[in-house]
């Protein structure tokens, strides 16, 4: 395929390398002209995945891509920029979204913002650093257009990147957004030194939250116990590469959310938490961990939140 990857961050860079390794013609489109020039000159991304060889990948800016020639446009930008980026993309090639979040302006799933062209979503336990290093993992592709999902599966699947088709687009997108918020709270457990038992319990209850919300939105329960749900949640909460986990740890140690983001880069959970909370209220679902994360982001002491969660009325699992 003639493929354009929009977004030259860590995940966009790693995915561009993955596509090129599969034999596709790849253009990576950066918002920063200096970043694009550096990639063309050195064959390396000066900001992300600096050891990844990009010498066989075309680099340009988002505004200068020949989109009419593209057979697939991969969007790998932060959720808060997804809508604006999408509106700037000409052409009719289908969109493959790598972004994990909700639209902060409307509270909607990101795929619903795509009009007049096919759209699919890729998700799963996909830490960019490991994929760039060629380490094995698996992912799901979901789309309302089953033929598109199956075609992308054939084009992307490899010995190092196993791809499954999941028809539950709603569930895959809810998982992708919600797991980042639980990742923040798991990092908070690390930052407070509360131990592995507490962290495992929090992750399990976080998965239950995700599943409740997904079911209320029309998702399939089994999606939350697969790669997009449990798989992605586990790596987000445990990996040393996890940005949301690291941000939660820093916040627990006294950093302001803005300071954590400045040190780490894009932290999707910080954007998604209030959007997810508002969605849960609209559909009438209680998300105590997500609500608690929002309280902490608004200034509540994390120790008080931990005590309140542990002090909730006992009930059946």
């Amino acid at each position: 395929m003639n493929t354009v990857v929009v977004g030259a961050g860590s995940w966009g860079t790693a995915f561009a390398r993955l596509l090129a390794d599969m034999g596709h013609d790849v253009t990576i489109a950066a918002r920063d002209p200096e970043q694009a020039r550096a990639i063309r000159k050195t064959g390396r991304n000066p900001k992300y995945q600096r050891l990844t060889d990009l010498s066989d990948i075309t680099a340009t800016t988002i505004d200068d891509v020949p989109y009419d020639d593209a057979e697939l446009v991969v969007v790998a930008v932060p959720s808060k920029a997804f809508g604006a980026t999408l509106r700037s993309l000409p052409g009719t090639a289908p969109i493959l979204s790598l972004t994990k979040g909700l639209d902060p302006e409307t509270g909607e799933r990101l795929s619903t913002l795509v009009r007049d062209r096919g759209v699919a979503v890729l998700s799963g336990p996909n830490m960019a650093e490991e994929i760039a290093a060629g380490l094995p993992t698996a992912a799901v592709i979901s789309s309302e257009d089953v033929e598109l999902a199956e075609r992308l599966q054939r084009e992307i699947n490899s010995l190092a990147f196993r791809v499954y088709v999941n028809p539950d687009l709603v569930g895959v997108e809810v998982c992708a957004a919600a797991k980042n918020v639980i990742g923040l709270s798991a990092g908070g457990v690390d930052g407070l030194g509360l131990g592995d038992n507490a962290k495992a319990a929090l992750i399990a209850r976080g998965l239950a939250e995700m599943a409740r919300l997904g079911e209320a939105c029309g998702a399939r329960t089994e999606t939350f116990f697969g790669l997009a749900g449990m798989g992605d949640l586990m790596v987000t909460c445990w990996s040393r590469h996890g940005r949301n986990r690291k941000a939660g740890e820093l916040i627990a140690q006294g950093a302001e959310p803005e300071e954590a983001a400045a040190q780490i880069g894009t932290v999707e959970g910080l954007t998604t938490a209030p959007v997810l909370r508002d969605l849960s209220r609209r559909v009438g679902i209680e998300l105590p961990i997500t609500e608690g994360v929002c309280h902490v982001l608004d200034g509540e002491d994390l120790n008080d939140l931990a005590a309140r969660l542990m002090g909730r009325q006992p009930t059946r699992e």
Side-chain angles (χ1 to χ4, degrees):
M1 294 185 298
N2 188 344
T3 306
V4 176
V5 177
V6 178
S10 184
W11 192 196
T13 300
F15 201 76
R17 181 67 264 158
L18 184 150
L19 289 170
D21 287 343
M22 290 295 296
H24 301 299
D25 295 324
V26 182
T27 296
I28 189 166
R31 187 166 299 281
D32 180 4
E34 290 299 325
Q35 186 182 12
R37 276 194 287 270
I39 295 173
R40 289 196 299 270
K41 181 178 179 180
T42 68
R44 296 288 191 276
N45 189 331
K47 295 183 177 180
Y48 304 95
Q49 306 296 345
R50 294 179 179 88
L51 299 180
T52 301
D53 181 11
L54 304 177
S55 58
D56 58 341
I57 293 173
T58 302
T60 185
T61 61
I62 290 176
D63 296 330
D64 293 331
V65 174
Y67 290 102
D68 290 338
D69 298 331
E71 298 173 77
L72 177 70
V73 177
V74 179
V75 179
V77 300
S79 59
K80 62 184 179 183
F82 189 92
T85 299
L86 192 67
R87 290 189 291 271
S88 71
L89 300 180
T92 59
I95 299 291
L96 175 62
S97 171
L98 307 187
T99 305
K100 298 180 178 182
L102 300 172
D103 179 37
E105 293 184 9
T106 64
E108 299 294 331
R109 292 179 292 109
L110 297 178
S111 71
T112 66
L113 304 181
V114 180
R115 302 283 190 271
D116 303 322
R117 62 206 307 181
V119 59
V121 171
L122 184 142
S123 193
N126 302 145
M127 287 295 168
E129 294 80 2
E130 295 187 359
I131 291 172
L135 298 177
T137 189
V140 296
I141 287 180
S142 187
S143 175
E144 293 179 350
D145 182 343
V146 177
E147 290 186 6
L148 173 61
E150 291 178 345
R151 177 166 70 88
L152 294 177
Q153 178 189 39
R154 291 191 298 271
E155 298 287 0
I156 298 171
N157 185 75
S158 72
L159 292 176
F161 196 79
R162 183 169 174 81
V163 179
Y164 295 82
V165 170
N166 185 328
D168 181 16
L169 182 59
V170 174
V172 169
E173 288 191 278
V174 171
C175 285
K179 62 94 183 181
N180 286 324
V181 181
I182 305 303
L184 281 172
S185 63
V189 171
D190 289 341
L192 293 178
L194 298 181
D196 290 340
N197 288 336
K199 188 171 179 179
L202 178 108
I203 293 170
R205 297 311 304 159
L207 182 61
E209 279 198 14
M210 291 166 55
R212 283 201 305 273
L213 179 61
E215 290 169 5
C217 293
R220 300 181 182 183
T221 303
E222 56 264 33
T223 296
F224 293 82
F225 300 95
L227 289 167
M230 183 172 65
D232 204 3
L233 178 64
M234 289 174 64
V235 77
T236 297
C237 293
W238 289 103
S239 174
R240 69 185 189 280
H241 301 301
R243 293 185 176 191
N244 292 280
R245 189 211 63 77
K246 182 61 176 177
E249 183 177 28
L250 291 175
I251 292 168
Q253 294 170 346
E256 294 296 325
E258 297 79 9
E259 294 173 339
Q263 178 176 331
I264 297 169
T266 299
V267 180
E268 283 289 3
L270 298 178
T271 302
T272 301
V275 185
L276 198 72
R277 174 201 60 200
D278 294 346
L279 171 61
S280 72
R281 291 174 178 176
R282 289 199 303 272
V283 298
I285 297 298
E286 186 180 16
L287 302 182
I289 297 174
T290 300
E291 291 274 357
V293 168
C294 291
H295 286 309
V296 171
L297 297 181
D298 288 337
E300 180 178 339
D301 186 88
L302 187 54
N303 286 290
D304 293 341
L305 168 62
R308 189 168 70 251
L309 288 173
M310 291 298 290
R312 285 167 53 85
Q313 180 67 32
T315 184
R316 293 182 178 181
E317 186 177 35

